[in-house]
Amino acid sequence: MGAAGCPLAFPAFTWEVRANDRGYHRQFKKKFAFCLSKRKYSGNAIRTAKYNLLTFLPLNLYEQFHRMANVYFVFVILLQTFPEISTLPWYTLLFPLSCLLIIRGLRDLIDDIGRHQSDRNINSRPCEILAGTSFHWQKWRDICVGDIVRLRKDSVVPADLLLLRSSEPSSLCYVETADIDGETNLKFRQALLVTHQELGSEESMAAFDGRVTCEEPNSRMHTFTGTLRWQGRTHALDIDRLLLRGCRVRNTALCYGLVLYAGFDSKIMRNCGKIKRKKTKLDHMMDRLVVVIFLVLLLTSLGLAVASGFWARTFQEKHSYLAALYKHTTPAQQAFLNFWGFTILLSIIIPMSMYITLEFIYLLNSCFINWDLEMYYGAKDMPAEARSTSLSDQLGQVEYIFSDKTGTLTQNIMSFKKCCINGTIYGPGTGHENKQPPGSGLSWEHPGEQKLDVCDVALLEAAQRDDDPVLREFLRLLALCHTVMVEDRGDQLVYQAASPDEEALVLAAKNLGYVFLARTQDTITIRELGSTRTYEVLAMLDFNSDRKRMSVLVRDPQGTIRLYTKGADTVILDRLRRRGPNETLTERALDRFAEETLRTLCVASREVSEAEFRAWSRRHREATVLLQDRARELDRLYEEMEQNLQLLGATAIEDKLQDGVPETIQLLKLGNIKVWVLTGDKQETAVNIGYACRLLTDDMEILEEKEVSEILQLYWESNNNLSGSGDALCSRHLSQQRPEAPCHQRAIIISGDFLDKILHTGEVLKEKKGWPWRWLCCDRAEASQDQGGLVEKAFVELATSCQAMICCRVTPKQKALMVQLVKKHKKAVTLAIGDGANDVNMIKTADIGVGISGLEGLQAVQCSDYALAQFSFLQRLLLVHGRWNYLRICKFLRYFFYKTFAGLLGQVWFAFHSGFTAQPLYEGWFLALYNIFYTAYPVLSVGLLEQDVSAKKSLEFPELYTVGQQDELFNYRVFGVTLLHGVGTSLISFYVAFWAFEDRVGTKAVGDYESFSVTVALSALLSVLVEIVLDTKYWTVLSFLMVTASLLLYCLFSFLTQSVDAFRIAPAIFRFPDASWNALTDPYVLLVVLLSLVVNTLPSLTVHAFRATLGRATTQQKIHLKAKRDPEPSVELRSHVPRGSFHRRSSYAFSHQEGYAGLITRGDSLRARATAGTAPGALRPEETPAVSSLSCPSV
């Protein structure tokens, strides 16, 4: 390969990086908008904030005026500037609109300041950059493409680097990629041999002039292709040579890298996505309603204006003696002015106060979430936090949850839970795991070591007795058969494994007296019950995903050769010498462990004769130097050796879930919320967690990539359109494949690679030979794009028809793509929840983003709308707060519109009796105060405090959540009914008073315009308040005070604005002196008001009575009826698995990764002893003690 200096042929890549040459990179520009250009090679500073000092005001106003209501209010203000048609000074409307814009602008500004602070902290992190012939401490933002950077242990990689050299043997560098793919196990990267050998000092680093030619910046996290040309030779580069931004250096004192991609060109930043302004479904609906109401308003004004023109002409014809009054205007001109007058008069149908009140309701409902002690996590002293105040109602409408796995569903902590040795089961549930053995002197413990943690005291006692050879071999296998690295820190041993499962097994052996101490290239040393023994490692038969097992051949101190093997039960059981009673008991134990969703594997061994080993070793050496079919030949030799095994037992490891995860997922599923798991982890690990958290169940039909391909193929063959639903599509396919299997419970499990094939114009379908696939692959770009869209939609239809979905090995960008697909094709409300930087894009893309404050930092929390400490708090956030908030906002909107229509449409009816002159029916002060004081508080109490059922009942009956998913409480039909209700109330209030005042007057000769106005106003006001009182389900002292305050404020302001003294001071402003006193002291007027109230209330009472007797059951009735039925079974982490089913899961084979055994046997990962030569001192400013074990400082 490239290390040998052979010239290689690669595609013509256009991204060229020259080491230590900033001037070369600065000369290149690229266009990005119109004729503007910027540097081709980005700097390393990042900016995720939306605004700066110059762009905040215009950009924020631009975003705010995407709300149609704000455009409408500006239009009304502009009309008010014309004195001929104005009814109020223009500044009286500009002030509340300005307040509304300022409130929302300040909220956006505060959020953006937080993003600026986060950017500043990241860009100011220190790092060492090569400048001249030495390294200097600078900031991350100072890094440029082509720079050489020095990183130390536990530091975060600041950009995408080509690894040049490290302080480890063979320039290995160990990294943790938790912020990229969620995995906390160790991975290794290795520098090219040529740079490892040649770049041994800072001077050689400064003189390095290599040129890297590679692919343009992209979002592919797991692939990279490029070449390094140096000293006349070309060397191949792949992803194993790269340190990606966001990784953390582990186990490596020093490493050096060449910056290939910086800042927004780095792969993790390419996956981060942009900040999007999120609007709820109700927001979108309100925008459309504003347009509809405005059009209705214009049509009404037009009709009244036309009528006013005809009325004016008729009036002038009948009353010619008044011609002097109309000599400067014509009926048409008067109609034109009246049109705008009616438009302004009726503009309060969309009240600005509603939007201001909504902001207040959103704010307080968010505070209720922050104050909820049930979502407070005492262990971290972290309450729930509503970081966004404008999405609370949408929490009650979620249909799909997209969840990360590691750190979100799980704690990523593996613990050795149970085991079966020689047919005997040990662990919790055996009845003696909590007892302390009498006089148990643990002679193998050493001062300073951690306190032992064993799963079963009986197992500890048996290990101490050392009288069971099978148990001895079992524990010896756990201590020998692995690729774990160890560091002896004097007072304790620190292990670092390629997977957390392996570490759990080695720790279990250590706690039971078999302590892994050290290893060299060909030996491994353990302490067995206090005595130290060194074994010669003859061969390591490494794990891969096909073998599903690993083995080690060792020679013990007595000279006996033994093979120790561990792996999946399906492969180990088939390679046993015999099947006896103990093997049968072990198989039963495996079934039992699988029922408890533990991660199982089998362990076995056999003795190998010296002659057999010599013959096998000779063929093994020959196979390792083959140029062709090397891997196949090695696998054949491994298979030959791993036969005739003796089963020692089985282990069961628990991947600890966060508290309450299974119960939470069960409740969410009952609430018709589908949970999809999107993880960067391996498929088998994710599937195991799926079963553990009850996302997957044993009666589900699992659709893997092959089945999904077949179903999509069937879709194309049967019908070349999307007339069939995904449910019908899947049902038809599965009924053909497995007629006996129920199809109503399904789950899909796919990988990120498969997802790429499907979503990039259906490449998975192109592999088929039939005509549909060839047609899909036509050269026409437009047709290809259209068909790719159809494949997308077909896939989404299939996925959403299933009860669960697990996507494994997905990149952050693919996570966001899955969310975007569901939003695009299903128009459903989505929620994304995660805890790491790899979840940020998904959180930004979803309608609602929830960040978990986990072990991977606070990147997800900083970009989220809501922050929680535990996944289990999601049930209360959605099923309680979300449902309540949706109910409250919907009721608020419904009653705000109702009270507006009921109170103010009287203006329209009055126009028919006032010559269509746009004469106001009500006093100006009543119009101004109606939505602010007289009716605002009862509706506000509904928006803040309303509950249909308690929090406890909301969790007991999650089915109630479906109301929000179906938009039942506020939609176009509900708005139409509200409009008709308001029109009816206004008609009754107006015409009952009009009828009463038409023929006679009261005892005080009350029959004037002012008294009529007061009567209609009071009738409408009381009808609105009674309607709200009747429909309020949850009464508090505050609710009662709100209603009382409305009536008292009406009386107070009527007295103040209608006093004779005020009239004398400003007769043009206070035009109704003593109007209310004169009218309301007349019993006849009071009877008219009472009659209007009764007539307005009767329809509502009738509807309530009809629903109670014959109509739909109320929420409380549904709960009562369901409570009588059998209660829902509690969630148990057990599943009855048939023997040989898909559902038995092997932890080791499904979570370990290939590669470490080769490093160990080659000696690449082993540091030389003190007598051996080391790397040049110029690269080692901090000497690291040489040890004979693996070089692995703790994480």
Side-chain angles (χ1 to χ4, degrees):
M1 284 221 4
C6 300
L8 299 172
F10 278 94
F13 293 124
T14 59
W15 191 265
E16 183 174 342
V17 177
R18 298 188 180 183
N20 297 312
D21 191 352
R22 287 191 174 186
Y24 171 79
H25 303 106
R26 286 173 178 165
Q27 65 182 330
F28 292 96
K29 306 286 184 181
K30 64 177 180 180
K31 291 184 178 180
F32 73 97
F34 302 108
C35 58
L36 302 177
S37 62
K38 63 179 181 180
R39 288 182 180 175
K40 176 182 178 181
Y41 298 90
S42 298
N44 202 45
I46 62 167
R47 189 178 69 86
T48 61
K50 294 173 63 175
Y51 313 113
N52 57 39
L53 289 175
L54 295 178
T55 62
F56 171 71
L57 191 60
L59 188 57
N60 189 259
L61 287 176
Y62 172 77
E63 291 175 342
Q64 292 215 48
F65 280 101
H66 272 67
R67 295 176 184 263
M68 292 306 301
N70 292 338
V71 177
Y72 170 77
F73 294 141
V74 169
F75 173 74
V76 173
I77 290 172
L78 290 176
L79 289 181
Q80 294 281 25
T81 59
F82 296 96
E84 294 84 1
I85 58 176
S86 175
T87 58
L88 289 172
W90 61 270
Y91 49 81
T92 59
L93 291 177
L94 180 62
F95 177 73
L97 177 61
S98 301
C99 291
L100 183 62
L101 296 178
I102 289 172
I103 290 171
R104 288 174 173 165
L106 285 175
R107 184 185 63 197
D108 294 338
L109 180 62
I110 291 171
D111 291 342
D112 210 54
I113 288 173
R115 286 189 283 266
H116 273 288
Q117 291 174 343
S118 175
D119 292 344
R120 194 178 303 114
N121 292 336
I122 292 174
N123 292 330
S124 299
R125 289 177 179 173
C127 64
E128 291 181 275
I129 304 174
L130 181 64
T133 58
S134 61
F135 285 90
H136 300 279
W137 284 101
Q138 297 185 55
K139 306 293 185 185
W140 274 26
R141 60 172 172 264
D142 301 321
I143 293 175
C144 296
V145 172
D147 286 350
I148 294 179
V149 178
R150 178 163 67 189
L151 303 176
R152 298 174 183 269
K153 175 189 167 186
D154 295 333
S155 61
V156 179
V157 180
D160 290 351
L161 309 177
L162 170 64
L163 181 62
L164 298 176
R165 201 181 194 286
S166 81
S167 56
E168 297 301 302
S170 302
S171 280
L172 284 175
C173 179
Y174 300 97
V175 294
E176 182 184 276
T177 59
D179 277 351
I180 293 178
D181 55 18
E183 296 185 20
T184 55
N185 52 290
L186 209 62
K187 297 179 176 63
F188 69 88
R189 300 289 182 260
Q190 189 168 15
L192 291 170
L193 179 61
V194 62
T195 58
H196 167 67
Q197 293 174 339
E198 299 288 340
L199 302 180
S201 66
E202 293 186 5
E203 289 76 15
S204 61
M205 288 280 183
F208 178 61
D209 60 352
R211 297 185 182 183
V212 175
T213 304
C214 57
E215 57 196 18
E216 291 284 327
N218 58 69
S219 60
R220 296 187 293 273
M221 303 291 299
H222 304 298
T223 60
F224 172 78
T225 306
T227 60
L228 169 66
R229 185 163 184 81
W230 187 38
Q231 298 176 343
R233 295 185 177 185
T234 302
H235 311 273
L237 303 176
D238 57 23
I239 193 65
D240 291 331
R241 310 295 184 190
L242 247 61
L243 302 179
L244 298 183
R245 177 183 176 121
C247 296
R248 190 176 290 273
V249 178
R250 302 292 196 193
N251 288 4
T252 308
L254 293 170
C255 66
Y256 302 81
L258 171 67
V259 179
L260 300 185
Y261 306 117
F264 283 107
D265 288 336
S266 61
K267 290 182 178 291
I268 186 65
M269 295 307 296
R270 286 270 172 162
N271 276 277
C272 275
K274 296 181 179 179
I275 298 173
K276 304 174 180 67
R277 173 171 287 274
K278 297 183 178 181
K279 294 179 68 174
T280 66
K281 291 176 73 174
L282 286 178
D283 277 337
H284 288 293
M285 184 180 177
M286 286 296 297
D287 283 345
R288 293 188 288 268
L289 280 180
V290 166
V291 175
V292 171
I293 294 172
F294 181 60
L295 292 177
V296 171
L297 185 151
L298 289 180
L299 289 175
T300 304
S301 299
L302 181 62
L304 294 174
V306 170
S308 73
F310 282 108
W311 187 90
R313 189 179 66 179
T314 304
F315 185 82
Q316 291 180 31
E317 291 174 354
K318 287 184 178 181
H319 306 281
S320 56
Y321 57 88
L322 297 176
L325 296 175
Y326 303 99
K327 64 180 179 180
H328 300 298
T329 181
T330 64
Q333 291 173 330
Q334 192 166 349
F336 177 77
L337 293 176
N338 282 340
F339 169 76
W340 296 112
F342 278 118
T343 300
I344 294 176
L345 192 64
L346 299 176
S347 65
I348 53 177
I349 292 291
I350 306 176
M352 204 176 299
S353 60
M354 180 177 73
Y355 288 90
I356 297 175
T357 310
L358 256 182
E359 291 296 320
F360 184 70
I361 290 174
Y362 277 127
L363 177 63
L364 279 188
N365 280 333
S366 299
C367 291
F368 293 155
I369 293 174
N370 298 343
W371 299 337
D372 190 346
L373 292 178
E374 296 294 327
M375 294 195 293
Y376 171 76
Y377 189 53
K380 292 184 180 179
D381 188 27
M382 182 183 176
E385 180 186 3
R387 297 171 55 84
S388 172
T389 60
S390 59
L391 302 174
S392 57
D393 58 289
Q394 195 151 258
L395 288 172
Q397 298 180 284
V398 174
E399 294 183 55
Y400 293 89
I401 292 178
F402 299 86
S403 175
D404 180 39
K405 180 189 76 71
T406 306
T408 304
L409 299 177
T410 70
Q411 303 178 40
N412 203 39
I413 298 174
M414 305 292 177
S415 63
F416 186 81
K417 197 74 173 176
K418 293 185 178 183
C419 62
C420 177
I421 304 172
N422 206 19
T424 303
I425 297 177
Y426 300 94
T430 57
H432 41 65
E433 63 273 10
N434 294 323
K435 298 177 183 176
Q436 183 66 29
S440 58
L442 304 180
S443 60
W444 56 85
E445 287 191 47
H446 283 239
E449 289 192 2
Q450 296 177 348
K451 185 178 183 295
L452 298 187
D453 180 19
V454 294
C455 65
D456 194 331
V457 171
L459 179 59
L460 181 60
E461 292 175 339
Q464 283 182 277
R465 290 193 301 269
D466 195 26
D467 55 3
D468 185 349
V470 176
L471 173 59
R472 187 186 310 122
E473 285 293 291
F474 179 92
L475 297 176
R476 188 174 288 159
L477 182 149
L478 297 185
L480 293 173
C481 185
H482 55 76
T483 59
V484 175
M485 304 175 184
V486 62
E487 181 195 14
D488 189 350
R489 292 188 175 178
D491 59 341
Q492 72 178 67
L493 298 171
V494 178
Y495 296 131
Q496 182 63 58
S499 77
D501 302 78
E502 280 222 311
E503 184 178 5
L505 294 175
V506 174
L507 284 174
K510 173 177 177 286
N511 292 338
L512 292 167
Y514 288 70
V515 185
F516 168 48
L517 296 176
R519 78 179 338 138
T520 65
Q521 182 175 346
D522 53 7
T523 66
I524 183 168
T525 303
I526 65 174
R527 187 168 61 239
E528 300 181 3
L529 303 178
S531 61
T532 301
R533 294 164 60 93
T534 299
Y535 293 79
E536 180 185 357
V537 178
L538 303 175
M540 295 190 75
L541 286 56
D542 199 8
F543 167 89
N544 64 42
S545 57
D546 294 326
R547 285 168 37 78
K548 294 190 168 96
R549 62 193 182 276
M550 82 156 288
S551 301
V552 59
L553 265 171
V554 298
R555 190 192 305 272
D556 65 18
Q558 287 75 36
T560 304
I561 300 174
R562 295 198 66 86
L563 174 76
Y564 293 104
T565 303
K566 65 181 179 183
D569 55 347
T570 52
V571 295
I572 299 296
L573 294 176
D574 291 340
R575 288 162 175 78
L576 298 181
R577 181 189 311 144
R578 61 180 179 84
R579 296 263 184 129
N582 287 338
E583 285 74 13
T584 303
L585 291 172
T586 302
E587 289 188 64
R588 291 178 184 172
L590 285 168
D591 287 333
R592 175 175 168 182
F593 297 158
E595 288 175 11
E596 299 172 15
T597 66
L598 300 175
R599 299 153 66 96
T600 61
L601 74 151
C602 289
V603 296
S605 69
R606 79 178 180 96
E607 186 174 331
V608 180
S609 67
E610 191 72 34
E612 179 186 358
F613 170 70
R614 286 202 186 99
W616 183 88
S617 178
R618 176 178 51 80
R619 287 183 290 142
H620 181 261
R621 283 195 301 272
E622 293 172 356
T624 55
V625 296
L626 289 177
L627 296 179
Q628 294 183 343
D629 297 329
R630 180 189 304 169
R632 185 185 306 170
E633 184 65 20
L634 287 173
D635 281 346
R636 190 183 66 79
L637 285 171
Y638 292 169
E639 179 75 21
E640 178 184 316
M641 176 59 69
E642 295 165 333
Q643 296 293 334
N644 300 318
L645 301 173
Q646 177 191 354
L647 183 66
L648 300 176
T651 64
I653 292 177
E654 179 186 29
D655 187 356
K656 290 187 176 180
L657 296 172
Q658 288 195 10
D659 294 338
V661 167
E663 293 82 359
T664 300
I665 289 180
Q666 189 80 347
L667 280 176
L668 295 175
K669 289 165 71 175
L670 291 174
N672 196 36
I673 300 173
K674 294 183 178 180
V675 181
W676 291 11
V677 175
L678 311 178
T679 177
D681 212 339
K682 288 165 281 296
Q683 175 172 329
E684 292 80 2
T685 308
V687 169
N688 189 279
I689 292 299
Y691 281 102
C693 68
R694 306 299 291 162
L695 180 64
L696 303 179
T697 56
D698 295 317
D699 59 349
M700 277 187 175
E701 194 69 35
I702 304 297
L703 305 181
E704 294 188 322
E705 296 175 0
K706 179 181 178 182
E707 288 84 355
V708 173
S709 298
E710 292 173 354
I711 292 173
L712 292 179
Q713 180 184 9
L714 176 66
Y715 156 75
W716 283 103
E717 291 174 349
S718 61
N719 190 2
N720 223 3
N721 57 57
L722 286 172
S723 59
S725 68
D727 194 72
L729 188 71
C730 181
S731 299
R732 188 163 63 251
H733 169 76
L734 290 180
S735 62
Q736 294 172 0
Q737 298 293 321
R738 307 179 84 176
E740 77 285 355
C743 193
H744 63 282
Q745 290 287 328
R746 294 184 298 270
I748 288 181
I749 301 172
I750 59 173
S751 67
D753 291 339
F754 183 78
L755 191 63
D756 260 344
K757 292 178 182 178
I758 285 183
L759 301 181
H760 288 87
T761 65
E763 288 182 20
V764 71
L765 305 179
K766 296 180 186 179
E767 299 173 3
K768 305 294 181 180
K769 303 302 182 183
W771 66 268
W773 325 119
R774 290 199 300 269
W775 177 58
L776 181 62
C777 304
C778 59
D779 295 332
R780 294 173 299 167
E782 183 178 353
S784 177
Q785 184 176 359
D786 291 343
Q787 301 309 319
L790 292 179
V791 173
E792 273 187 15
K793 189 168 184 180
F795 172 70
V796 173
E797 288 288 341
L798 173 62
T800 54
S801 69
C802 296
Q803 280 60 49
M805 183 161 179
I806 296 179
C807 297
C808 314
R809 284 297 183 195
V810 290
T811 64
K813 193 168 186 178
Q814 287 174 324
K815 291 184 178 185
L817 178 63
M818 286 299 297
V819 177
Q820 189 63 44
L821 283 177
V822 173
K823 290 174 62 178
K824 174 182 175 183
H825 294 292
K826 301 304 291 183
K827 309 298 181 186
V829 177
T830 57
L831 182 147
I833 180 169
D835 70 321
N838 57 320
D839 305 312
V840 166
N841 201 353
M842 172 177 72
I843 287 173
K844 290 179 180 177
T845 304
D847 295 299
I848 300 170
V850 178
I852 300 288
S853 60
L855 300 176
E856 300 177 23
L858 297 175
Q859 296 96 328
V861 170
Q862 290 169 351
C863 297
S864 65
D865 304 304
Y866 296 90
L868 302 175
Q870 293 279 288
F871 180 87
S872 59
F873 295 157
L874 201 59
Q875 58 177 290
R876 189 168 179 89
L877 182 69
L878 297 183
L879 301 181
V880 178
H881 289 282
R883 207 178 64 80
W884 279 352
N885 290 340
Y886 173 71
L887 169 73
R888 291 164 180 170
I889 296 296
C890 289
K891 273 199 168 185
F892 169 81
L893 292 174
R894 194 164 77 235
Y895 281 108
F896 213 106
F897 278 122
Y898 165 71
K899 74 184 185 65
T900 303
F901 296 147
L904 303 179
L905 283 181
Q907 300 277 3
V908 178
W909 320 133
F910 184 64
F912 287 93
H913 304 280
S914 61
F916 303 101
T917 57
Q919 164 74 22
L921 167 62
Y922 302 119
E923 177 195 11
W925 285 104
F926 179 84
L927 291 175
L929 300 175
Y930 178 77
N931 278 325
I932 299 176
F933 291 113
Y934 298 165
T935 57
Y937 298 120
V939 180
L940 179 62
S941 71
V942 168
L944 292 177
L945 305 173
E946 181 68 345
Q947 300 176 18
D948 54 348
V949 295
S950 66
K952 181 180 178 181
K953 292 295 182 185
S954 295
L955 294 174
E956 286 181 7
F957 301 94
E959 296 86 351
L960 299 174
Y961 188 82
T962 57
V963 171
Q965 296 171 335
Q966 298 165 7
D967 300 323
E968 289 185 10
L969 298 185
F970 193 79
N971 49 45
Y972 293 111
R973 182 188 63 80
V974 171
F975 177 76
V977 171
T978 302
L979 175 61
L980 292 176
H981 191 189
V983 169
T985 300
S986 65
L987 280 170
I988 291 171
S989 299
F990 181 84
Y991 279 104
V992 166
F994 184 79
W995 164 77
F997 277 72
E998 186 176 18
D999 295 331
R1000 56 161 301 193
V1001 295
T1003 56
K1004 296 183 178 181
V1006 177
D1008 58 299
Y1009 156 68
E1010 295 176 359
S1011 299
F1012 176 73
S1013 172
V1014 169
T1015 304
V1016 176
L1018 184 59
S1019 299
L1021 175 61
L1022 292 178
S1023 298
V1024 166
L1025 293 179
V1026 169
E1027 189 68 34
I1028 295 174
V1029 167
L1030 287 175
D1031 207 39
T1032 299
K1033 299 289 191 300
Y1034 185 70
W1035 281 93
T1036 64
V1037 174
L1038 188 59
S1039 305
F1040 175 78
L1041 291 177
M1042 291 286 194
V1043 176
T1044 307
S1046 295
L1047 293 172
L1048 293 177
L1049 286 172
Y1050 173 75
C1051 296
L1052 174 63
F1053 282 108
S1054 295
F1055 172 76
L1056 294 177
T1057 60
Q1058 296 176 10
S1059 69
V1060 176
D1061 294 333
F1063 174 75
R1064 289 171 180 165
I1065 295 171
I1069 299 176
F1070 303 99
R1071 299 179 177 180
F1072 278 51
D1074 279 345
S1076 294
W1077 178 262
N1078 291 333
L1080 300 181
T1081 53
D1082 188 343
Y1084 182 80
V1085 173
L1086 294 177
L1087 288 174
V1088 172
V1089 172
L1090 180 62
L1091 177 62
S1092 297
L1093 180 60
V1094 171
V1095 175
N1096 279 325
T1097 308
L1098 274 177
S1100 295
L1101 290 175
T1102 304
V1103 170
H1104 283 292
F1106 181 78
R1107 284 182 175 177
T1109 55
L1110 301 176
R1112 295 179 302 171
T1114 64
T1115 302
Q1116 286 83 356
Q1117 289 170 336
K1118 290 178 182 178
I1119 289 177
H1120 183 68
L1121 290 173
K1122 186 175 180 185
K1124 290 182 177 180
R1125 300 199 299 266
D1126 293 334
E1128 293 289 338
S1130 59
V1131 178
E1132 297 182 14
L1133 288 181
R1134 299 186 64 82
S1135 57
H1136 300 285
V1137 185
R1139 177 73 189 99
S1141 73
F1142 169 84
H1143 305 297
R1144 183 181 294 161
R1145 297 168 288 283
S1146 170
S1147 62
Y1148 173 79
F1150 288 163
S1151 63
H1152 189 42
Q1153 61 183 16
E1154 185 177 9
Y1156 275 27
L1159 292 177
I1160 294 170
T1161 54
R1162 291 195 307 268
D1164 287 351
S1165 60
L1166 300 172
R1167 206 173 271 159
R1169 295 183 181 273
T1171 57
T1174 59
L1179 284 180
R1180 305 292 292 273
E1182 295 180 1
E1183 288 296 331
T1184 304
V1187 293
S1188 61
S1189 61
L1190 287 182
S1191 53
C1192 59
S1194 65
V1195 176

